[in-house]
Amino acid sequence: MTVATPAESERRPFAPRPAQEAILAYRGGYMGVSAVPGSGKTFTLSLLAARLVERLLEEHGLDEREVLVVTFTNSAVGNFRARIGQFLREERGMLPGIGYRVRTLHGLAHDIVRERPGLVGLAEDFDIVDERTASEIKRDAVLAYLRNHPDTFAAYIKPQYLQNPRPIERSLQEDAIDIANSVIRFAKERAASPFQLQELLDRQAGAWPLAEFGLHIYADYQRSLTLRGAVDFDDLILLAIQALRADEGYLARLQERWPYVLEDEAQDSSAGQERMLRMLTARLGNWVRVGDTNQAINTTFTSAESTFLIDFLKQHPEQARPLPNSGRSALPIIGAANFLIDWSRSLHPALPPRLALTPPHIEPTPPGDPQPNPEAGTPPVYLHPLAAAPEKELEIIVRSAAKWLPDNPDLTLAVLAPDNPRCIAIVEALEQQGLPFDDTLLRTDSSTRAAAQALATLLGYIATPQTPGTVADLWRDVWLPRRLPQLVADDENLALIATLAAQGRGGRAKLPEPLETFERALKKLQTPETLIFPEQRDWLDTLEWLDEAPGMHAQALLLRTDLQRWTRAAILPVDELLLTLGNDIFAEPADLALAHRLAVLLAKMQNENPGYRLPELANELTSIAQNRRRILGFGEDAQGYSPKAGVITVATMHAAKGLEWDRVYLTAVNSYSFPSGAEGDEYRSERWYARDRLNLLAETQEQLKKLANGSLDEYREGDATAEARLELAAERLRLFYVGVTRARRELIVTYNTGRQHEQKPLPPAVMFTALQGYLNTLES
């Protein structure tokens, strides 16, 4: 972290900086805080929360009033809880956990709905579909629609692909899924049902295939949720708002319960989140919003809008507070970041002022501060001038890192790229040279949940091995994809089975034969013990075809061996049991680390709930895996990641937010990864098969916006594409700013010219060129 931790505060009295002191003097009302990178906003907001808790207890005693802290990610929830609790315990001698509540915005909405589900027509035991299930429902709906309406996007496709659509088939399907997701997210943010929007669309003149497609998928998706008696996470905020509107007394009780609302990462607030928090704070008006609009890097692929924080600061200038001091970076790196702010506001070739970076500038910490700015490296900021091909860029980075590491064994280093494919290429290059690296931050939320779900399925089997169907689920979802590949060795038949199994992955795709037949047999198995511990009757002997299929009998015997061992392991304490299972089915270090975290968690749950046995613990683990319990930092954040000295961290610039390293490489800073917003640049959102360089997702969103306002008469094709270019350019500029401000002592920026066989050489991004000019000016 970039500020003194509570443990460090224990060793010395806390002396707030002047800007922190102004924030900590807060007594009530609306206050907006503009916090620069590394300014210690979490520390400051936590301390403010602790002081407000103390005030509530002094004025009202121990009642249900709480300071409500709302933040963006699950790991931030844990961080805030720990800090607030430690402040209260160490500074005031108070018990932690009393007088405050910390939630993500979705977690808060869930609390509101769960307390009174009947207000929005939900049963007491309503379910929340996990993200994977939601994605599968949407994908199935999209593919079915395209099969039945193959000409849906014909009006937007280049003529050469209309006669031969095969080259664009897969790309079009994936883009259609993105369009459907965007429509659903947009509609739910605005509390618009598919039927309301479809009714409006039916009144419009002309054909609107993009909007028609999106609304059809939205309707199918909602019907599927209704049949399950479930909601998704996008529904939660909408339902919370509906619940608050449905019962004024309930709203008044919550307003009284949470007299102070502190919102972290406010630059990532959405329209629905804004409405919910505004309702909760409307009566007492005590709302503190903290964020940095220059770090709003999620706006083009989520419903986040940094304008909510900007407008809030303008509406309440009397309590608009900067938090400008940062001890994270050396002064030359701070100078480079501040230059980007000024340049974007006056000299950027395409961005209008409304999309530029915003003040305040980053200021170094004052003399005598406990967190002084680090000394600059040599050089502190370096932009590599070579116009290198992608492979050559990797060589330059690897060679530079290999030279630096032995001389700086106690310092941290990161190589950051704009996307995952480039990160994977970096990892492969480091592997080839035998350099130590850590790619933990490349793991996605879905892969983490898949690993947790594998453990949940396996623990569920051990809890109730006699239940029909559990063996089939375990074999299909865990044993085939995770265990069998570890067992094949040199057995060609088993290797063939593993290859067939791999072909059947992806949701509930049909398995190739003979695996499909074996799965059907497992599903019909009513007495699992005849497979696992056969005595008088061996179930495998009833499958007469088994010996005729190469490798199938051998894999069945290996499955039996594993099932026997796992069943016998049920006597182990739950943490040892989970570690044993993890060691059997996982090979990746990140998966093994996840198994360890889950083992510790379940042991803690069992201590807190002595009545819990394996069935209850298996259900808890399933809830975690399916996102019904948002804990352990599952999500889009760094999950408590701490950079390691002497090891090269490889991550996307998005994943690096909130972290810092002594040396940082920013890679692939070219005009494709970081477009300027000008027409001459290339934009990945303008698909190669679409006519007139249209951004189909942006055009669909614009149609939905106009439709929600009542009419499509003012829609002009292409306007949304042009605006999307500017918005993407602005977000990529903010992403570059985030990358720059990850560096403590040294910042190295490189770019590549792209794949030469596909396009003309890419120039460096406009901010690369501008920053190079700034450095040249300093040197002259």
Side-chain angles (χ1 to χ4, degrees):
M1 300 300 295
T2 60
V3 295
T5 64
E8 290 168 337
S9 298
E10 190 175 8
R11 296 192 292 270
R12 58 175 178 266
F14 170 64
R17 299 165 187 158
Q20 290 174 314
E21 200 160 13
I23 294 167
L24 295 172
Y26 171 80
R27 292 295 178 269
Y30 295 101
M31 182 169 74
V33 178
S34 301
V36 304
S39 59
K41 68 177 178 64
T42 302
F43 180 90
T44 306
L45 198 60
S46 298
L47 184 53
L48 174 61
R51 293 185 177 181
L52 292 175
V53 169
E54 183 185 5
R55 185 186 308 163
L56 283 180
L57 293 174
E58 288 175 352
E59 293 176 355
H60 303 285
L62 192 60
D63 61 11
E64 71 166 5
R65 289 179 178 85
E66 297 172 321
V67 174
L68 176 62
V69 179
V70 184
T71 188
F72 191 64
T73 64
N74 294 283
S75 61
V77 168
N79 195 6
F80 271 110
R81 280 180 183 153
R83 285 179 176 274
I84 295 169
Q86 197 155 4
F87 284 139
L88 290 172
R89 182 174 61 251
E90 294 180 353
E91 293 194 4
R92 307 298 178 188
M94 299 165 60
L95 288 175
I98 297 174
Y100 59 96
R101 179 181 303 213
V102 188
R103 290 287 189 271
T104 63
L105 282 153
H106 284 93
L108 173 63
H110 179 262
D111 288 350
I112 293 170
V113 175
R114 182 65 71 182
E115 190 168 332
R116 296 287 303 279
L119 291 175
V120 290
L122 293 176
E124 293 287 339
D125 59 347
F126 76 89
D127 197 10
I128 304 171
V129 296
D130 62 278
E131 289 150 357
R132 185 188 300 177
T133 300
S135 296
E136 288 178 356
I137 296 170
K138 295 171 193 173
R139 173 179 284 274
D140 290 346
V142 167
L143 296 182
Y145 187 90
L146 293 180
R147 280 195 300 270
N148 295 325
H149 304 83
D151 296 330
T152 294
F153 298 102
Y156 300 95
I157 304 301
K158 290 177 179 177
Q160 61 264 38
Y161 296 119
L162 290 177
Q163 295 301 321
N164 179 26
R166 195 166 192 82
I168 70 171
E169 209 168 69
R170 182 179 294 274
S171 294
L172 187 58
Q173 288 175 354
E174 295 305 316
D175 293 340
I177 292 168
D178 289 341
I179 290 172
N181 281 325
S182 174
V183 168
I184 293 169
R185 187 169 60 240
F186 170 87
K188 291 192 175 189
E189 274 291 314
R190 284 153 182 79
S193 75
F195 315 108
Q196 292 169 329
L197 292 172
Q198 186 64 54
E199 186 177 348
L200 286 171
L201 185 61
D202 291 341
R203 297 177 193 165
Q204 309 302 311
W208 302 93
L210 295 178
E212 186 76 44
F213 161 76
L215 293 181
H216 184 96
I217 303 305
Y218 181 22
D220 279 357
Y221 177 63
Q222 288 304 105
R223 276 193 292 270
S224 183
L225 292 182
T226 301
L227 288 172
R228 287 170 164 80
V231 298
D232 66 11
F233 281 108
D234 287 329
D235 286 322
L236 283 176
I237 293 174
L238 171 61
L239 292 170
I241 293 169
Q242 291 177 356
L244 297 176
R245 287 175 177 164
D247 189 334
E248 292 183 2
Y250 182 42
L251 172 59
R253 286 197 301 277
L254 294 183
Q255 290 170 336
E256 185 73 17
R257 181 185 301 171
W258 299 317
Y260 297 99
V261 175
L262 312 184
E263 181 187 1
D264 181 40
E265 302 288 3
Q267 78 275 359
D268 290 320
S269 191
S270 67
Q273 295 162 1
E274 171 93 359
R275 287 197 300 272
M276 181 174 67
L277 294 184
R278 196 166 289 281
M279 291 177 74
L280 291 173
T281 57
R283 181 165 167 262
L284 298 176
N286 298 326
W287 189 4
V288 177
R289 310 186 77 175
V290 182
D292 180 2
T293 56
N294 292 338
Q295 296 191 76
I297 55 175
N298 302 313
T299 55
T300 59
F301 55 89
T302 70
S303 54
E305 296 182 46
S306 61
T307 53
F308 291 122
L309 177 58
I310 294 171
D311 292 343
F312 186 86
L313 290 164
K314 291 177 180 176
Q315 292 162 6
H316 305 286
E318 71 284 353
Q319 284 205 103
R321 303 280 186 262
L323 197 57
N325 301 105
S326 172
R328 170 180 291 168
S329 301
L331 298 187
I333 297 172
I334 289 178
N338 288 339
F339 164 78
L340 289 172
I341 294 175
D342 295 337
W343 167 78
S344 74
R345 299 182 68 79
S346 58
L347 296 173
H348 194 285
L351 288 186
R354 63 183 171 85
L355 293 176
L357 298 175
T358 60
H361 283 163
I362 304 172
E363 298 177 13
T365 54
D369 192 271
Q371 191 205 0
N373 295 86
E375 293 183 7
T378 307
V381 182
Y382 178 69
L383 277 68
H384 201 286
L386 182 64
E391 297 77 14
K392 183 64 176 178
E393 182 192 30
L394 290 179
E395 289 179 21
I396 292 168
I397 293 165
V398 170
R399 188 166 58 247
S400 172
K403 182 179 178 181
W404 187 86
L405 278 175
D407 296 333
N408 300 276
D410 298 326
L411 300 183
T412 56
L413 180 152
V415 181
L416 307 180
D419 52 47
N420 267 307
R422 192 59 180 162
C423 285
I424 292 169
I426 292 167
V427 166
E428 291 173 351
L430 294 173
E431 267 185 321
Q432 289 176 1
Q433 296 301 316
L435 293 176
F437 67 88
D438 181 355
D439 62 351
T440 302
L441 294 176
L442 295 183
R443 290 178 55 77
T444 64
D445 178 55
S446 59
S447 63
T448 301
R449 291 195 183 285
Q453 184 60 58
L455 285 172
T457 300
L458 191 44
L459 194 62
Y461 157 75
I462 294 173
T464 56
Q466 73 282 1
T467 302
T470 56
V471 173
D473 289 341
L474 185 153
W475 176 82
R476 164 77 187 237
D477 297 335
V478 180
W479 197 85
L480 271 184
R482 293 184 180 273
R483 180 64 171 158
L484 179 59
Q486 301 176 25
L487 302 172
V488 295
D490 297 324
D491 189 312
E492 292 183 4
N493 289 330
L494 283 178
L496 174 63
I497 298 299
T499 301
L500 289 172
Q503 293 172 6
R505 289 182 199 167
R508 300 300 296 175
K510 186 176 180 180
L511 287 167
E513 293 294 353
L515 298 177
E516 180 72 18
T517 299
F518 188 67
E519 182 180 30
R520 286 198 300 269
L522 283 176
K523 287 180 177 179
K524 294 177 182 178
L525 178 60
Q526 296 299 308
T527 53
E529 62 272 15
T530 60
L531 164 64
I532 305 167
F533 294 107
E535 293 183 358
Q536 297 179 353
R537 174 174 169 264
D538 187 340
W539 177 75
L540 291 179
D541 292 340
T542 67
L543 305 180
E544 298 178 357
W545 57 271
L546 202 61
D547 289 327
E548 299 174 8
M552 284 302 296
H553 194 272
Q555 71 89 24
L557 293 176
L558 289 171
L559 172 66
R560 169 181 288 167
T561 300
D562 280 342
L563 292 175
Q564 289 175 345
R565 185 174 67 260
W566 292 336
T567 304
R568 293 185 178 111
I571 62 172
L572 294 173
V574 68
D575 51 346
E576 294 182 26
L577 173 59
L578 217 60
L579 290 173
T580 299
L581 301 179
N583 286 331
D584 275 353
I585 65 172
F586 295 145
E588 295 294 326
D591 288 335
L592 293 168
L594 174 68
H596 181 268
R597 297 211 317 275
L598 291 172
V600 172
L601 174 71
L602 290 193
K604 182 173 181 288
M605 282 185 178
Q606 194 167 45
N607 285 335
E608 294 171 350
N609 303 274
Y612 274 19
R613 297 295 180 263
L614 279 184
E616 290 81 12
L617 292 169
N619 288 336
E620 291 287 347
L621 189 52
T622 299
S623 294
I624 293 168
Q626 295 181 353
N627 219 12
R628 292 199 297 268
R629 292 197 57 181
R630 289 197 163 192
I631 60 177
L632 281 182
F634 280 72
E636 311 79 8
D637 51 16
Q639 298 189 23
Y641 179 81
S642 180
K644 304 175 185 69
V647 175
I648 303 169
T649 299
V650 182
T652 64
M653 296 177 195
H654 281 94
K657 184 173 178 287
L659 299 171
E660 60 186 52
W661 294 265
D662 292 295
R663 171 180 272 205
V664 169
Y665 295 84
L666 300 183
T667 66
V669 185
N670 57 39
S671 64
Y672 182 70
S673 295
F674 296 87
S676 67
E679 188 173 345
D681 286 346
E682 294 187 41
Y683 299 85
R684 63 186 70 204
S685 49
E686 296 172 13
R687 304 297 284 150
W688 47 276
Y689 58 78
R691 64 168 174 81
D692 302 325
R693 296 184 63 187
L694 285 176
N695 180 335
L696 299 187
L697 192 150
E699 296 296 326
T700 308
Q701 289 176 334
E702 184 64 16
Q703 289 180 14
L704 263 289
K705 288 177 185 176
K706 300 293 187 189
L707 184 64
N709 290 331
S711 173
L712 283 163
D713 291 347
E714 295 183 4
Y715 168 76
R716 297 290 178 270
E717 184 178 273
D719 287 356
T721 295
E723 179 63 21
R725 290 174 183 168
L726 295 175
E727 290 177 354
L728 176 62
E731 183 177 280
R732 301 307 269 191
L733 173 60
R734 295 192 293 269
L735 184 63
F736 183 71
Y737 176 87
V738 166
V740 167
T741 54
R742 299 312 94 195
R744 285 175 46 76
R745 302 170 185 271
E746 300 174 21
L747 172 68
I748 298 173
V749 188
T750 66
Y751 79 98
N752 64 63
T753 56
R755 291 173 290 189
Q756 301 294 314
H757 63 283
E758 292 187 5
Q759 56 195 9
K760 62 183 180 181
L762 294 170
V766 290
M767 66 278 281
F768 184 104
T769 305
L771 195 54
Q772 184 66 70
Y774 162 75
L775 295 176
N776 292 340
T777 301
L778 292 180
E779 293 172 1
S780 62

